[in-house]
Amino acid sequence: MNARSPESVRDAAGGLQQEETISREVVVVNAAGLHARPADLLAREARKWQSRIAFVNDSQRADGKSILELLTLAAEAGTRLVVEATGPDAREALDAIGSLFESRFNEHENDQES
Amino acid sequence: MKFSDFVANDAVRSHVHAATKEGVIREMAQSLVDAGKIAPGDLEGIVKAIMKREDLGSTGIGRGVAVPHTKHPSVNKLVGTVAVSQQGIDFQSLDGEPVQLFFLLVSPPDRPGDHLRALENISRQLRDDSFCRLLKAAKEPVDIQHLLEEADSHGVVS
């Protein structure tokens, strides 16, 4: 499946609607990288939205709603990822996810906890 | 990173006795003390630090798996162990399921990359349903050790 191509899907009312994938780049800026807690935060945020959400790096795609898959990205500080959202609330989902990255997942660099 | 890079074979347990979150964390940390990987005097501090991390959000990542962990200045390389609870333990996991499979990690504070690569290895291997199922069905620590070795040699290593 080409994630970039519009897909025809049936909405709840049974009608046809077009779904397009939109994407944006995010950067892991917190020092500890995308470890368990950020992965948890991201998956929780992604699950709030109807859209399908994927994180893509050079070599793989991860389902944004799965902590297990997010952890397989092993994204260290400085890593750039592309987030793709496909669905009716894709724009809002991307904004919310982008904000989490920008807020460094609410981590302070001197925290001992990971 | 492979399991053999951080799992202390002598600390692997197939039948944890504890029935609580803190209990299983303490039992696993004690197994690392017994295996000579952490000093007895650091046990309490490490258990407390892991519990403090759990307070920020459970490391029960779903599918009956948890990865309790902490940074601790007493270790100079990442150390970890694996344990299985036959009955399952309430770990306040994301999916609400009891946890049977535990990967405990203690990492040096200045090595966030190693911690990430260990999590990456664990999560990638756990996507394999049969690996998960076989680990939970382990009868002896040696069964777990063999499964980890097999994952190391046949799994996709990055």
Side-chain angles (χ1 to χ4, degrees):
Chain A
M1 182 185 80
N2 182 350
R4 298 245 166 224
S5 64
E7 299 167 39
S8 294
V9 294
R10 299 221 168 248
D11 64 20
L16 276 172
Q17 65 180 36
Q18 290 290 344
E19 276 197 342
E20 273 187 271
T21 297
I22 57 169
S23 65
R24 64 168 282 181
E25 189 180 77
V26 290
V27 183
V28 179
V29 286
N30 63 313
L34 215 172
H35 59 95
R37 190 149 54 100
D40 177 16
L41 271 177
L42 284 172
R44 281 178 197 265
E45 184 60 49
R47 287 174 190 175
K48 290 180 188 166
W49 307 95
Q50 247 181 289
S51 299
R52 292 191 300 285
I53 293 163
F55 287 79
V56 187
N57 67 10
D58 297 337
S59 55
Q60 56 178 329
R61 297 175 68 81
D63 177 351
K65 302 188 182 191
S66 159
I67 297 180
L68 220 51
E69 292 215 6
L70 288 172
L71 289 176
T72 64
L73 295 172
E76 294 190 53
T79 304
R80 290 172 185 277
L81 297 168
V82 174
V83 198
E84 294 179 354
T86 311
D89 47 14
R91 176 64 57 198
E92 296 90 334
L94 281 192
D95 287 347
I97 286 166
S99 301
L100 281 178
F101 277 85
E102 283 153 16
S103 70
R104 321 173 85 89
F105 312 114
N106 303 315
E107 292 195 342
H108 304 289
E109 301 307 336
N110 294 325
D111 276 2
Q112 281 301 297
E113 293 79 26
S114 57
Chain B
M1 185 177 285
K2 296 181 171 193
F3 286 118
S4 60
D5 293 326
F6 61 95
V7 173
N9 263 339
D10 294 346
V12 167
R13 299 287 185 267
S14 56
H15 292 71
V16 289
H17 304 292
T20 64
K21 185 175 198 171
E22 179 162 357
V24 71
I25 287 169
R26 185 172 295 279
E27 201 170 326
M28 291 180 79
Q30 181 65 52
S31 73
L32 283 172
V33 171
D34 296 343
K37 296 295 177 184
I38 58 180
D42 292 322
L43 177 70
E44 275 312 309
I46 287 173
V47 170
K48 278 206 177 72
I50 294 175
M51 287 304 290
K52 197 173 159 202
R53 165 60 185 84
E54 291 294 329
D55 287 344
L56 298 174
S58 175
T59 61
I61 54 178
R63 306 185 72 176
V65 178
V67 285
H69 60 267
T70 189
K71 295 172 191 164
H72 203 268
S74 66
V75 295
N76 55 23
K77 81 179 268 294
L78 177 64
V79 293
T81 186
V82 183
V84 175
S85 162
Q86 299 297 322
Q87 80 266 33
I89 291 171
D90 177 11
F91 220 76
Q92 296 92 45
S93 285
L94 289 176
D95 60 2
E97 295 293 317
V99 173
Q100 267 193 281
L101 197 48
F102 301 89
F103 293 83
L104 183 138
L105 302 171
V106 183
S107 56
D110 58 344
R111 303 291 291 274
D114 285 355
H115 176 68
L116 278 185
R117 283 183 285 276
L119 286 176
E120 182 267 341
N121 180 55
I122 293 166
S123 47
R124 181 163 39 81
Q125 301 289 359
L126 289 175
R127 288 193 297 193
D128 180 345
D129 286 333
S130 58
F131 179 65
C132 244
R133 185 168 40 79
L134 290 168
L135 276 176
K136 289 172 186 171
K139 296 273 181 287
E140 302 287 338
V142 70
D143 297 335
I144 297 174
Q145 290 160 10
H146 286 159
L147 285 164
L148 299 181
E149 279 168 24
E150 201 175 301
D152 277 352
S153 53
H154 299 299
V156 189
V157 177
S158 61

